[in-house]
Amino acid sequence: MRITARVDYAVRAAVELAAAAPGALTCDRIAAAQGIPSRFLQSILGDLQHARLVTSQRGREGGYRLALPPSEVSIARVMRVAQ
């Protein structure tokens, strides 16, 4: 199976969010930690949010977080969403 950059970035973002759970991370913080272009990551996080794997909150205390406990989010599901 060939892994695209989009799928790779989605998995890396999900792992970063799982490590921070239940806290929230900004898109810029995830991008900096994983070396992912911020604009591309915003698109990926939007897809994960549409699939209800990630939630977002605006404001000073805002950011992205997993919508489910990390133990319930599979890499396969993240990969399917990002394809």
Side-chain angles (χ1 to χ4, degrees), residues 6-67:
R6 184 175 188 82
V7 171
D8 178 43
Y9 292 161
V11 169
R12 289 168 41 194
V15 168
E16 195 73 25
L17 290 170
L25 296 175
T26 64
C27 182
D28 290 337
R29 188 163 173 194
I30 298 167
Q34 292 294 323
I36 302 170
S38 184
R39 303 275 284 179
F40 195 33
L41 181 58
Q42 287 175 351
S43 173
I44 293 167
L45 289 171
D47 290 345
L48 293 174
Q49 189 174 1
H50 185 72
R52 298 189 178 162
L53 290 175
V54 170
T55 60
S56 67
Q57 180 179 343
R58 294 178 135 192
R60 193 168 166 184
E61 300 296 320
Y64 291 91
R65 61 177 45 114
L66 291 178

